[in-house]
Amino acid sequence: MRTPLQYQVQDPLPGVVYAPPGDLRRYLDAGLLTRETMPEALRASFAAHGPRIALASAEGELTYEQLDETTDRLAGAWLELGLRPLDRVVFQIGNCPELVLGFIACLKAGLIPVCTLAAHREQEIGYLGVHSAARMHFVQGDDPKFNDVAFAEQMRGEIPSMKWTVQARGARLGTALHLREQLETMPLARARELLGQVHIDPFQVAVFQLSGGTTGVPKIIPRFHNEYIYNMRAVGQFLGYGPDDCLFMPMPMMHNLNMGCCFGPFLLSGGTVAVSTAMTADALGQVFRQYRPTWTAIAGPILEKLKPAIQSGLLPLDRLRGVISANNAPALRALLKAPVHHIFGMTEGVIMLTREDDPQVVQDTMVGHPVSGMDQVKLFQIGTEEEITEEGVIGECAFAGPYTIHGYYDAADRNAQTFTSHGFYRSGDLMLFRDIGGVRYWQFCGRTKDVVDRAGEKVNCEEVELLVSRHPAVTSAGVVGMPDKVYGERICAFITLADQHAAPTVAALGIFLQEQGLARFKWPERIEVLAELPLTKSGKLSKPLLKQLITDKLAAEAAGH
């Protein structure tokens, strides 16, 4: 007898909010979602593109066939170690080929990667490890500036569920297991025998991604097997990725932007993913010279490193046919002599992009339209569910669709605040729309969220304020973004002082925040002392006024200089 088709997960995980079965049925019936799992989709691509180069770096290359076999062996080694499907693995590792090996191995073994950043420290890793009940910590091992193996061993003592540390690269340190040794001792036949016993549900969680956070530390975002596949394929089809393309995306590979819109879609389309393990101008330039990428995404600080080589003609850009950027298309187009696609998106779901055939005003100033025909976008008056339907009016955007989440992991209170009564994800971003030639295009207009966007890293202001306020010299703190030509925004802390205390220097405050376990990229880069912090009429801290104060001060300093 044929088993009836299912439209929901069979064994739901506590704390995970799954899409309603009715929504899943609509997306499946429309052919958007499939009943594939992430490893099934990847294996199909690996088989179709076997001899092509999948991963390339200064350290060597891997074909799709080699990538498939290597990740089978690593997945088998982790299962033989004692990990079981749906166990969580904290990834704290910079860009390198081993990151991709570990990520794919997790998917094949049914393990759930927890996508942290290499720069995270006790504050973030401790919380996320405990919150996700992680069992393994996967670290880089050869970071010259930070002993992440020793750090992982320390955190293993603070996270009750954590049992293993695996080191990806470098000489073996401490008591960590080493990826190289795990591969050497796992025969391919044995690995595939173990993997043959793994059952993965296409409606189940594939990855725990992270939010930028509007309150406290980052929240965990569950992304599911079939919807994450659809996210990746939709982006790849929208931009036209193909087997002859080469991607160089030097931003963090554990970010959803890179995973969901760049290297993930590339591995599903048979292209080559070029990886640089170092962020120096020489290392980045070498990738361009050796692999001549056709697609790239370059944030402000990385662009500044490469600009001298670009302007002098030493960086070969002749094959470049697409650049992905959040903004600034006209300047990038002039510099790189290539089409620039503005992108708007969030780890929680919807992705918007511009196309080469969009009207010029759209390519230059807007973020295009969603990649899925079933993405839904609404504008509301800020803080309400009063919908805005007029063209050109700014409102807070909210989203629903086949790859937009229905709730953060184990965060009922936050979910109650974040989703509308109709289940739309309230983004905290401000947008407007214009209908041009029968197409609705969207324009990003700012944020209602209390975050600083520092070169693409979303820094939660409340989290930084809380820790800055613990400094013995500080009685209160207000953190805002200050404009910066390279990073977009940098972090400024306004503080009031305790009696008989002098203000800490930026360096001294950094040392204090390091002791508090806060990632370095979140440390304030400027301190301003006020007698009292400005308040709104309702008695809340006035962030707009603080932003205006620092903007005006920077402008005055620039004029004086």
Side-chain angles (χ1 to χ4, degrees):
M1 180 181 295
R2 173 179 284 185
T3 303
L5 290 176
Q6 298 295 322
Y7 292 92
Q8 59 186 336
V9 70
Q10 294 301 292
D11 297 304
L13 290 173
V16 174
V17 183
Y18 295 89
D23 287 357
L24 292 174
R25 180 187 289 270
R26 284 194 298 112
Y27 301 139
L28 284 157
D29 290 348
L32 275 63
L33 298 188
T34 67
R35 296 180 183 276
E36 288 175 284
T37 64
M38 288 287 292
E40 287 172 336
L42 288 167
R43 282 194 176 101
S45 177
F46 296 170
H49 305 288
R52 289 183 174 274
I53 301 300
L55 282 181
S57 73
E59 301 162 4
E61 298 173 347
L62 280 177
T63 66
Y64 275 92
E65 182 179 18
Q66 291 169 328
L67 180 61
D68 194 24
E69 292 182 357
T70 304
T71 51
D72 274 357
R73 288 165 58 206
L74 185 57
W78 286 354
L79 289 171
E80 191 138 270
L81 185 65
L83 287 160
R84 293 294 175 262
L86 301 182
D87 280 349
R88 280 67 133 168
V89 178
V90 171
F91 274 61
Q92 190 180 12
I93 181 171
N95 288 4
C96 59
E98 291 84 356
L99 180 155
V100 180
L101 298 181
F103 175 69
I104 296 173
C106 274
L107 296 176
K108 286 183 170 183
L111 308 174
I112 301 176
V114 181
C115 301
T116 76
L117 295 177
H120 281 156
R121 294 296 181 261
E122 293 93 338
Q123 173 81 2
E124 300 91 356
I125 298 298
Y127 168 77
L128 293 168
V130 171
H131 188 52
S132 67
R135 303 208 63 210
M136 192 168 85
H137 197 166
F138 186 45
V139 296
Q140 186 167 315
D142 66 348
D143 186 336
K145 297 181 180 179
F146 182 60
N147 188 338
D148 49 12
V149 175
F151 173 73
E153 292 179 339
Q154 170 198 335
M155 297 310 298
R156 198 164 71 224
E158 300 179 17
I159 301 171
S161 58
M162 193 73 79
K163 188 171 182 180
W164 299 283
T165 300
V166 173
Q167 176 184 341
R169 299 164 54 86
R172 193 170 182 273
L173 300 173
T175 62
L177 303 169
H178 202 290
L179 180 147
R180 181 178 57 250
E181 296 168 0
Q182 292 182 310
L183 287 173
E184 289 171 351
T185 56
M186 174 51 62
L188 183 59
R190 173 60 178 158
R192 288 180 170 168
E193 178 187 348
L194 290 168
L195 290 172
Q197 302 167 22
V198 172
H199 170 73
I200 301 174
D201 188 331
F203 298 101
Q204 187 55 274
V205 176
V207 179
F208 274 161
Q209 267 287 357
L210 298 188
S211 72
T214 54
T215 57
V217 293
K219 295 174 290 299
I220 291 175
I221 299 169
R223 298 301 300 262
F224 305 91
H225 280 271
N226 56 1
E227 63 87 4
Y228 215 20
I229 294 169
Y230 175 65
N231 178 152
M232 294 177 180
R233 285 177 173 160
V235 171
Q237 291 168 3
F238 195 99
L239 294 175
Y241 295 159
D244 295 326
D245 279 317
C246 176
L247 168 76
F248 181 44
M249 208 299 204
M251 294 169 68
M253 298 182 82
M254 296 313 291
H255 267 189
N256 184 68
L257 172 60
N258 202 335
M259 185 180 295
C261 299
C262 296
F263 87 80
F266 253 73
L267 293 178
L268 291 176
S269 62
T272 297
V273 177
V275 181
S276 176
T277 58
M279 290 294 108
T280 64
D282 287 345
L284 297 168
Q286 179 57 34
V287 173
F288 269 94
R289 287 187 290 273
Q290 186 170 358
Y291 292 104
R292 296 168 60 211
T294 59
W295 284 90
T296 191
I298 307 177
I302 295 174
L303 184 64
E304 287 300 309
K305 291 180 182 180
L306 293 175
K307 190 176 286 185
I310 295 170
Q311 293 173 331
S312 64
L314 296 177
L315 212 64
L317 303 174
D318 54 301
R319 293 187 66 226
L320 198 59
R321 71 181 191 89
V323 179
I324 299 170
S325 177
N327 49 42
N328 208 23
L332 285 173
R333 196 182 303 122
L335 178 66
L336 299 174
K337 305 295 189 293
V340 178
H341 301 263
H342 278 167
I343 188 169
F344 169 86
M346 56 201 63
T347 311
E348 288 84 352
V350 74
I351 305 292
M352 298 184 185
L353 284 158
T354 57
R355 298 182 191 266
E356 281 186 75
D357 57 358
D358 285 334
Q360 198 64 48
V361 66
V362 173
Q363 295 186 55
D364 289 350
T365 65
M366 305 183 80
V367 293
H369 59 86
V371 299
S372 173
M374 294 187 77
D375 280 326
Q376 299 178 68
V377 186
K378 291 186 177 183
L379 289 184
F380 296 109
Q381 299 288 351
I382 296 175
T384 75
E385 291 195 21
E386 183 181 342
E387 189 171 355
I388 296 171
T389 58
E390 299 94 332
E391 183 177 350
V393 178
I394 296 175
E396 181 184 4
C397 51
F399 308 99
Y403 57 103
T404 295
I405 67 165
H406 293 263
Y408 294 108
Y409 172 67
D410 196 19
D413 291 344
R414 184 62 190 158
N415 289 338
Q417 302 168 15
T418 305
F419 292 84
T420 70
S421 59
H422 294 95
F424 276 65
Y425 169 73
R426 190 185 291 277
S427 69
D429 294 304
L430 299 174
M431 302 187 85
L432 60 80
F433 69 85
R434 299 194 186 280
D435 293 326
I436 305 174
V439 178
R440 176 158 295 185
Y441 294 103
W442 296 87
Q443 181 174 329
F444 177 73
C445 302
R447 300 185 303 273
T448 64
K449 295 178 180 178
D450 192 12
V451 296
V452 176
D453 188 349
R454 187 185 185 277
E457 297 289 357
K458 303 299 191 294
V459 178
N460 165 245
C461 294
E462 183 180 335
E463 178 188 12
V464 180
E465 289 164 357
L466 176 65
L467 296 179
V468 169
S469 297
R470 293 178 183 173
H471 191 284
V474 178
T475 56
S476 59
V479 170
V480 296
M482 55 184 178
D484 184 84
K485 291 181 179 179
V486 174
Y487 286 79
E489 288 183 310
R490 288 183 183 263
I491 302 169
C492 178
F494 285 88
I495 62 172
T496 59
L497 296 175
D499 290 341
Q500 310 303 314
H501 281 78
T505 64
V506 169
L509 183 60
I511 292 171
F512 174 79
L513 293 175
Q514 184 176 29
E515 293 168 351
Q516 299 294 308
L518 187 69
R520 186 184 184 91
F521 70 87
K522 300 179 182 180
W523 299 355
E525 295 153 288
R526 180 163 177 146
I527 296 171
E528 293 289 331
V529 178
L530 297 177
E532 57 184 30
L533 297 180
L535 303 178
T536 65
K537 291 181 179 179
S538 60
K540 295 182 179 180
L541 178 63
S542 177
K543 290 297 181 77
L545 186 51
L546 289 181
K547 283 195 170 193
Q548 193 61 53
L549 285 172
I550 189 59
T551 299
D552 290 346
K553 190 164 188 177
L554 289 172
E557 290 172 358
H561 179 70

